[in-house]
């Protein structure tokens, strides 16, 4: 142990004691960065001998010239200044005094497309995005990037006979000008040929082909081919899907495709555990049949147990004509719920038609039969409702579990009428949103969320507990118990309201790769009249652990009104 501690300072000195490089001031940022990348004195010995020093001088000069030439400076003046490197514990220090000289500007772009690529806008987009234009400083990396992108497009978009017939930079050093020459002859664009579905997928051919993102005869596209593979893997039917491209058929200008499927096990057991302050510890168990028949129907049954919720449910899903974006979900559930403000026992049977629109939004028309027996304060009652509804929502993020930037937005309208087998009439609207964005300079994230609800009903007591609005809890107004906020009766018991307003602002600051600290402020309440309501406010702080199972949040919050005590909140689950 003592030996290790003694060696640590020596290792640190050895790490610090390397040759260093200093550049003259005033160089463009990209030039300085390229010089540091190509001229690295740290790879040389600290105290080179005369022969080594002469070799290093030549290499530094060549590498510096190469770094400058790549960014359009062909006539630089490079002066090396050496210091140190003579003492026993001293490394040499190299200072480069660089006058890059006049930049070489692009005088002309000689970019020519021949073949079917002339009518393919993807090629022109790549050219337009290359940042090569007359009058701009020549940069070799942009020229090379454009050349690679054009060659990749030929492959990705089915130009099996395409090639670059000319590619060069013509530089006039005396005039400080350059011409970019890129001639591309794409030949004909190939199309998808036959599509063979191999293996034993155990599903109807018509259903399998519904997941294809292309058809025979469509222009070939690697992107659509990979999207098809992802569409198959996005189902629960297959554990693997292998793609094989056939050899290009030069006579018919087609490329055949073979998809080989490896089915997953038909049955799966489901299990999950979680914990939150709202519900306490919870356990979820279930069983799923991923492939009930060749039409791809699936079924699931599960139960959830916690101190607040105890229930069982089952669902049956049917893929429709566009199975990637369209399905029918038939479901039923029994739920027993006990909160600090209400007790309820409900039976629900319903059907959802779920369709993903081309815009990315998910639209869900639905119909539900609900029978609920409930007690709220001194009211004990039963409701029987047939509830048609419609929901529209969307989530967009690079990572839904722990995004740096992302958002979700949704809204739902539902209602019932006494003339349609219901015990009461009502119309209810509910909208919600969440936005997450990074904070520049200091780092971290800001998380904002909000929800607004409105119900048109003659008397809120006619609504069952599950259709009334309450506030408070881990995902509502922290600092207050789950569903502890809302209108009260004459005895001071919370009975829920017609309407809802809730909002929150939070800042998370990372302290390590997996841990972050948070401060936040929440506000909101449930109420009966938009012209007369009280907003309850709270604030607090917490810690976040980005666990392998998703974020786990531990918060301490309190209401801002006098007399409120601190309350602990524990929750887990994706940020979006």
């Amino acid at each position: 142990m003592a030996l290790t501690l003694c060696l640590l300072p020596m290792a640190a000195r050895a790490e610090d004691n390397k040759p260093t490089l200093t550049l003259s001031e005033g160089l463009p940022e990209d030039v300085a960065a390229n010089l540091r990348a190509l001229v690295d004195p740290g790879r040389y010995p600290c105290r080179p001998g005369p022969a080594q020093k002469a070799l290093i001088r030549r290499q530094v000069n060549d590498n510096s010239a190469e770094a400058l030439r790549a960014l359009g400076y062909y006539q630089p003046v490079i002066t090396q200044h050496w210091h140190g490197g003579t003492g026993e514990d001293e490394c040499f220090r190299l200072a480069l005094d660089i006058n890059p000289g006049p930049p070489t500007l692009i005088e002309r772009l000689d970019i020519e497309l021949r073949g079917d690529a002339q009518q393919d806008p993807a090629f022109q987009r790549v050219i337009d995005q290359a940042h090569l234009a007359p009058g701009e400083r020549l940069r070799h990396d942009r020229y090379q990037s454009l050349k690679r992108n054009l060659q990749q497009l030929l492959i990705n978009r089915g130009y099996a006979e395409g090639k670059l017939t000319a590619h060069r930079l013509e530089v006039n050093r005396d005039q400080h000008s350059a011409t970019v020459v890129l001639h591309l002859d794409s030949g004909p664009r190939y199309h998808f040929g036959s599509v063979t579905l191999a293996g034993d997928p155990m599903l109807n051919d018509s259903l399998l082909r519904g997941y294809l993102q292309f058809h025979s005869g469509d222009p070939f596209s690697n992107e659509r081919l990979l999207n098809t593979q992802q569409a198959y893997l996005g189902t629960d039917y297959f554990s693997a899907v292998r793609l094989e491209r056939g050899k290009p058929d030069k006579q018919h200008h087609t490329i055949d495709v073979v998809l080989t499927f490896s089915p997953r096990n038909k049955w799966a057991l489901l299990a999950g555990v979680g914990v939150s302050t709202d519900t306490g510890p919870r356990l979820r168990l279930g069983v799923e049949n991923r492939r009930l028949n060749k039409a791809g129907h699936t079924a699931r049954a599960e139960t959830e147990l916690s101190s607040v919720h105890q229930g069982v449910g089952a669902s049956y899903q049917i893929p429709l004509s566009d199975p990637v974006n369209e399905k029918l979900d038939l479901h039923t559930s029994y739920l027993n719920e006990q909160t600090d403000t209400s007790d309820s026992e409900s039976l629900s049977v319903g059907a959802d038609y779920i369709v993903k629109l081309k815009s990315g939004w998910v639209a869900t028309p639905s119909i539900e039969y609900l029978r609920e027996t409930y007690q709220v304060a001194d009211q004990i009652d039963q409701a029987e409702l047939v509830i048609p509804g419609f929901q529209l929502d969307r989530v967009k993020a690079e990572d839904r579990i722990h995004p740096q930037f992302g958002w979700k937005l949704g809204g739902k309208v539902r209602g019932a009428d006494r003339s349609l087998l219901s015990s009461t009439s009502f119309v209810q609207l509910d909208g919600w949103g969440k936005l997450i964005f990074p904070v520049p300079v200091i780092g971290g994230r800001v998380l904002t969320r909000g929800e607004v609800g409105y119900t048109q009903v003659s008397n809120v007591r006619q609504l069952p507990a599950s259709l009334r609005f309450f506030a408070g809890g881990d995902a509502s107004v922290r600092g207050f118990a789950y569903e502890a906020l809302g209108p009260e009766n004459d005895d001071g018991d919370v009975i829920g309201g017609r309407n809802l307003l809730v909002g929150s602002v939070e800042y998370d600051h990372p302290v390590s790769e997996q841990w972050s600290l948070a401060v936040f402020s929440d506000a909101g309440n449930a109420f009966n009249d938009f012209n007369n309501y009280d907003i309850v406010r709270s604030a607090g702080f917490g810690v976040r652990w980005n666990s392998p199972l998703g974020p786990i949040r531990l918060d301490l919050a309190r209401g801002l009104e006098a007399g409120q005590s601190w309350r602990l909140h524990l929750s887990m689950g994706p940020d979006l």
Side-chain angles (χ1 to χ4, degrees):
M1 182 65 177
L3 178 61
T4 303
L5 293 174
C6 290
L7 289 175
L8 284 176
M10 296 175 61
R13 285 198 303 270
E15 180 70 21
D16 295 337
N17 201 18
K18 289 183 177 180
T20 59
L21 172 67
T22 304
L23 300 176
S24 54
E25 296 182 357
L27 292 174
E29 186 176 337
D30 58 342
V31 171
N34 209 38
L35 281 165
R36 292 190 182 279
L38 290 183
V39 181
D40 179 17
R43 58 181 175 167
Y44 299 119
C46 274
R47 293 169 295 282
Q52 283 182 315
K53 190 171 183 179
L55 177 61
I56 293 172
R57 281 184 176 276
R58 287 196 300 271
Q59 288 181 345
V60 166
N61 219 56
D62 292 345
N63 292 343
S64 299
E66 181 184 350
L68 291 161
R69 191 163 54 247
L71 294 172
Y73 296 97
Y74 278 78
Q75 296 176 325
V77 177
I78 303 169
T79 306
Q80 299 183 31
H81 300 282
W82 287 64
H83 305 280
T86 56
E88 189 171 319
D89 294 324
E90 185 185 16
C91 281
F92 76 85
R93 303 184 303 279
L94 175 61
L96 292 182
D97 186 3
I98 294 178
N99 179 359
T104 298
L105 305 181
I106 298 174
E107 183 179 41
R108 186 168 66 94
L109 292 178
D110 181 9
I111 301 177
E112 183 180 289
L113 300 177
R114 294 181 182 177
D116 287 355
Q118 287 180 304
Q119 284 75 47
D120 190 337
F123 285 86
Q124 191 58 51
R125 279 197 300 270
V126 165
I127 294 170
D128 293 340
Q129 294 168 2
H131 302 292
L132 291 171
E136 293 286 333
R137 173 161 54 93
L138 175 65
R139 287 187 51 160
H140 288 214
D141 58 334
R142 292 178 178 174
Y143 161 76
Q144 294 292 345
S145 177
L146 175 57
K147 186 171 73 170
R148 284 193 304 270
N149 289 341
L150 289 173
Q151 291 171 321
Q152 194 61 49
L153 269 183
L154 291 172
I155 297 170
N156 290 345
R157 297 182 68 80
Y159 294 92
E161 302 173 24
K163 60 182 178 180
L164 287 172
T165 57
H167 50 91
R168 61 183 181 272
L169 287 175
E170 297 176 352
V171 178
N172 187 325
R173 299 193 181 206
D174 294 333
Q175 298 295 323
H176 312 299
S177 64
T179 299
V180 176
V181 179
L182 283 169
H183 294 176
L184 181 145
D185 186 353
S186 69
R189 185 176 184 183
Y190 281 50
H191 292 67
F192 284 106
S194 65
V195 181
T196 303
L197 306 180
D200 185 9
M202 302 181 184
L203 296 171
N204 290 335
D205 187 76
S206 58
L207 172 64
L208 285 174
R209 293 187 180 273
Y211 288 95
L212 291 173
Q213 304 297 297
F214 61 88
H215 299 92
S216 295
D218 288 349
F220 186 87
S221 166
N222 258 348
E223 180 181 1
R224 295 174 72 181
L225 196 59
L226 292 174
N227 287 344
T228 294
Q229 184 183 41
Q230 290 305 310
Y232 285 118
L233 292 174
T235 71
D236 283 334
Y237 302 137
F238 311 110
S239 60
V241 179
R242 190 172 73 252
L243 281 175
E244 294 179 84
R245 288 175 38 164
K247 291 184 178 180
D249 184 336
K250 293 188 177 182
Q251 180 180 356
H252 300 98
H253 297 151
T254 58
I255 299 174
D256 295 337
V257 173
V258 178
L259 292 158
T260 304
F261 301 96
S262 299
R264 297 182 72 182
N265 292 332
K266 184 175 182 178
W267 288 94
L269 296 177
L270 310 172
V273 294
V275 63
S276 71
T277 316
D278 289 349
T279 64
R282 60 183 181 271
L283 172 68
R284 178 171 293 179
L285 299 172
V287 62
E288 180 181 36
N289 188 318
R290 299 183 176 123
R291 198 170 46 252
L292 272 169
N293 50 39
K294 285 187 171 293
H297 296 188
T298 62
R300 171 184 291 198
E302 58 185 342
T303 181
E304 180 180 336
L305 300 173
S306 73
S307 59
V308 174
H309 300 122
Q310 305 90 43
V312 294
S315 64
Y316 189 99
Q317 290 194 346
I318 304 171
L320 300 177
S321 56
D322 180 5
V324 177
N325 300 310
E326 190 180 20
K327 64 183 176 182
L328 181 64
D329 184 13
L330 309 175
H331 51 85
T332 183
S333 66
Y334 166 81
L335 178 64
N336 187 36
E337 182 177 39
Q338 302 102 23
T339 72
D340 293 343
T341 52
S342 67
D343 293 343
S344 64
E345 183 179 356
S346 62
L347 173 67
S348 169
V349 179
D352 298 341
Y353 169 59
I354 305 169
V355 56
K356 184 176 181 180
L357 308 176
K358 291 183 178 179
S359 61
W361 290 82
V362 177
T364 309
S366 63
I367 184 76
E368 178 188 14
Y369 167 76
L370 174 66
R371 183 175 181 176
E372 182 172 337
T373 302
Y374 58 95
Q375 179 178 0
V376 180
D378 60 353
Q379 179 192 5
I380 301 176
D381 210 340
Q382 184 179 83
E384 199 164 355
L385 303 168
V386 176
I387 309 172
F390 178 79
Q391 178 172 312
L392 189 67
D393 64 284
R394 187 179 181 187
V395 178
K396 189 171 184 180
E398 86 286 356
D399 176 7
R400 291 181 63 170
I401 304 298
H402 190 77
Q404 289 301 305
F405 178 83
W407 57 267
K408 71 175 178 180
L409 194 63
K412 176 170 62 177
V413 58
R414 57 183 173 176
D417 194 275
R418 290 182 184 272
S419 63
L420 297 175
L421 306 175
S422 297
S423 58
T424 191
S425 298
F426 77 95
V427 176
Q428 187 174 82
L429 292 88
D430 190 13
W432 58 89
K434 190 169 186 178
L435 174 65
I436 300 174
F437 58 90
V439 180
V441 183
I442 63 173
R445 306 179 301 161
V446 172
L447 300 87
T448 64
R449 58 176 167 84
E451 183 178 2
V452 56
Y454 168 79
T455 309
Q456 177 63 51
V457 66
S458 58
N459 189 331
V460 72
R461 292 173 64 89
Q462 297 174 0
L463 290 175
S466 64
L467 294 177
R468 301 184 192 185
F469 286 117
F470 297 85
D474 302 336
S476 181
V477 182
R478 285 164 287 189
F480 297 89
Y482 179 55
E483 296 191 349
L485 298 176
E488 300 176 352
N489 63 10
D490 293 338
D491 296 327
D493 298 321
V494 175
I495 61 173
R498 293 185 178 92
N499 310 317
L500 178 74
L501 279 176
V502 170
S504 174
V505 178
E506 178 177 315
Y507 170 67
D508 289 0
H509 187 80
V511 293
S512 71
E513 187 174 343
Q514 291 185 305
W515 292 89
S516 59
L517 301 177
V519 291
F520 56 84
S521 179
D522 300 341
N525 210 342
F527 50 91
N528 286 320
D529 188 349
F530 272 101
N531 295 316
N532 182 22
Y533 62 89
D534 294 322
I535 293 296
V536 177
R537 295 172 174 82
S538 69
F541 57 92
V543 62
R544 307 285 181 264
W545 177 38
N546 191 23
S547 77
L549 301 177
I552 296 177
R553 311 170 191 86
L554 183 64
D555 294 324
L556 197 61
R558 59 168 291 179
L560 297 183
E561 297 180 359
Q564 297 294 332
S565 59
W566 290 95
R567 185 175 180 85
L568 189 69
H569 292 270
L570 174 64
S571 62
M572 59 191 302
D575 287 328
L576 288 176

